[in-house]
Amino acid sequence: MIRFDPPKFVPLLVACLTACGPASAPPRQVLGATSEQTHASGEPVAPEQVAGRAAAGILHEASGPLPAPEQIAAMVEVSATALRAGDRRTAERSLQPCLHRDPPVLACELQLARFLATVPRRREQYQAAMGGLVIVDDPAISTADYDELAQQLRLLGDLPQSEAAARVALSRSPTAARHMVHANVLQGLPERLDDAIAALKNALELAPERRDWTLELATLSSRHPAHVDDAIAIFESLRRESGDEEFRRTLADRVAELRRAAADSSDAAAPPPPMDRRKNHPTPPAPDGGSTSR
């Protein structure tokens, strides 16, 4: 009769598993591992890119051939339909074949961002996905999608990419509202104030009835030294047209403030007056010891 002896059995079991296991089993990939990764092009991925992908739950680019445009459109539609129905699993899984490509497929990456935006616990992944978008004029994406991209990227503080999306939408359909969105994005970039003023003027050319936009143009122009005179003229025009006495007083005060600032700036830029030599050089005494002053 064979007796079961645990102290002797356990070492035998370990030895068997070690000897009998698959000799070529690859080591398991651990999330956050620093093993070298490459783009689909064969170029190595920079360490900071690996870290960014790990933060977003992405360790590898998609493999296999890129789906055809009609297949991509179908994947995005399936994902959008599933997301509307609350089927988040299908909404995410249906996009897998076209995600994380090099270069990215913007339609799929945008739909992934829409999905992630509905999952509060994956907020960081959403921000990483939006931050990784490469804004190009993709025929597979509607102009309304670019409007959405401009808005979402602006809310996330990525103003350069937001402006890129706004420009694509404008190039397709230059409406007054899109010029206004462009102006709003540009206002967040101090070095682009001139461009913001020009964009706002373009919006008003298409919608001159928008007095609120006109007021915003005056306010924006007042912040630029080269446009202060324009700002004063617009404020004065709005004041004359308004029947609201309080609003008229507010505009009058603003005009007076701008004129004082302009005058102070002009005085500061003027050359200093010539020195009074009599104050800087004492008058020599008269030969007889008296004074030569008149």
Side-chain angles (χ1 to χ4, degrees), residues 41-252:
S41 61
E43 293 293 325
V45 178
E48 60 270 18
Q49 290 177 296
V50 174
R53 290 179 184 179
I58 303 165
L59 287 182
H60 299 287
E61 294 169 355
S63 59
L66 180 68
E70 59 271 16
Q71 293 174 310
I72 291 174
M75 292 172 189
V76 171
E77 181 57 33
V78 168
S79 175
T81 301
L83 190 58
R84 287 193 295 269
D87 183 358
R88 291 178 173 174
R89 181 180 178 84
T90 300
E92 184 175 20
R93 289 174 63 89
S94 62
L95 296 171
Q96 291 304 316
C98 63
L99 286 176
H100 321 316
R101 294 283 179 166
D102 182 21
V105 179
L106 188 52
C108 292
E109 300 291 344
L110 172 58
Q111 182 57 32
L112 174 66
R114 290 190 183 113
F115 158 74
L116 291 171
T118 68
V119 189
R121 62 184 174 81
R122 298 178 69 178
R123 177 69 178 176
E124 289 185 2
Q125 294 181 19
Y126 164 72
Q127 293 174 334
M130 290 294 287
L133 294 180
V134 178
I135 306 300
V136 296
D137 192 344
D138 185 346
I141 298 181
S142 71
T143 306
D145 286 342
Y146 280 101
D147 292 334
E148 177 189 348
L149 273 171
Q151 174 69 4
Q152 292 304 317
L153 288 164
R154 182 187 175 203
L155 291 175
L156 288 173
D158 192 345
L159 298 183
Q161 287 291 77
S162 174
E163 198 241 336
R167 281 192 286 105
V168 172
L170 268 173
S171 70
R172 293 181 175 188
S173 177
T175 64
R178 289 192 174 101
H179 278 297
M180 191 60 191
V181 168
H182 192 208
N184 287 335
V185 173
L186 290 169
Q187 287 183 54
L189 299 167
E191 71 279 6
R192 303 288 302 278
L193 185 54
D194 252 329
D195 294 332
I197 292 171
L200 192 42
K201 287 180 178 178
N202 290 335
L204 279 167
E205 285 180 5
L206 297 173
E209 73 283 357
R210 293 295 300 263
R211 310 316 287 166
D212 55 331
W213 290 1
T214 304
L215 179 60
E216 186 165 344
L217 175 60
T219 303
L220 193 60
S221 297
S222 69
R223 291 164 43 192
H224 195 300
H227 295 273
V228 171
D229 288 344
D230 293 339
I232 291 174
I234 297 172
F235 280 134
E236 288 282 27
S237 176
L238 289 171
R239 185 181 64 82
R240 289 191 299 269
E241 294 172 2
S242 177
D244 185 329
E245 287 302 321
E246 183 177 354
F247 182 60
R248 286 165 59 88
R249 283 194 298 272
T250 299
L251 292 184

Side-chain angles (χ1 to χ4, degrees), residues 2 6 34 44 60 123 147 276 283:
I2 301 174
T34 57
H60 299 287
R123 177 69 178 176
D147 292 334
D276 187 343
T283 303

Side-chain angles (χ1 to χ4, degrees), residues 16-24:
C16 179
L17 289 175
T18 302
C20 302
S24 60

